[in-house]
Amino acid sequence: ESLAYFFRLLDVQKRGYLTVFEINYFFRAVIEGSREAGHEPVVIEDVKDEIFDMVKPKDPLRITLDDLIECKVGDTIVSMLTDVNGFWAYDNREMLMHSEEK
């Protein structure tokens, strides 16, 4: 499964879970890419909180692969952490839905 593959890449410390460290580590590159693309600035703390709220991990300080699978939005979270365009699409999902309706 692709989610398991990406989880192994994100789990840089090979502990079997992701923490705020990994989220900050990967999301910094997304923030920089966003800035270079001219997108609105993003507060990393807000995104971190949103990710943990979306996943609702069993341990509130760690996200496991099982947590990502069970939350049903693991692919979105991986995209948010690894791809500027993926994060932009997530962050602007309401605007995109409204433009598709027209």
Side-chain angles (χ1 to χ4, degrees), residues 24-36 81-82 84:
N24 288 336
Y25 180 82
F26 284 98
F27 198 67
R28 274 186 299 206
V30 171
I31 289 174
E32 184 59 33
S34 252
R35 190 175 308 133
E36 289 172 3
L81 292 174
T82 60
V84 172

Side-chain angles (χ1 to χ4, degrees), residues 14 17 22 37 44 54 63 74 88 97-98:
K14 305 301 179 216
Y17 57 85
E22 287 83 10
I44 196 165
M54 291 166 68
I63 297 173
W88 185 90
M97 284 190 313
H98 289 300

Side-chain angles (χ1 to χ4, degrees), residues 40-42 47 50 80 86-95:
E40 297 272 329
V42 178
V47 174
E50 192 161 351
M80 290 169 65
F87 175 74
W88 185 90
Y90 171 77
D91 200 39
N92 292 280
R93 64 198 176 281
E94 292 173 8
M95 178 191 68

Side-chain angles (χ1 to χ4, degrees), residues 4 6-7 9 11 15 24-26 35 38 44 51 53-54 56 59-61 68 72 76 78-79 92 95 97-98:
F6 280 106
F7 184 84
L9 294 176
D11 183 14
R15 298 179 297 188
N24 288 336
Y25 180 82
F26 284 98
R35 190 175 308 133
I44 196 165
I51 287 172
D53 287 346
M54 291 166 68
K56 295 177 184 55
D59 180 331
L61 301 176
L68 277 183
K72 306 289 188 225
T76 300
V78 167
S79 182
N92 292 280
M95 178 191 68
M97 284 190 313
H98 289 300

Side-chain angles (χ1 to χ4, degrees), residues 20 23-24 43-53:
V20 172
I23 290 171
N24 288 336
V43 178
I44 196 165
E45 282 298 309
D46 294 343
V47 174
K48 179 219 23 122
D49 291 344
E50 192 161 351
I51 287 172
F52 274 86
D53 287 346

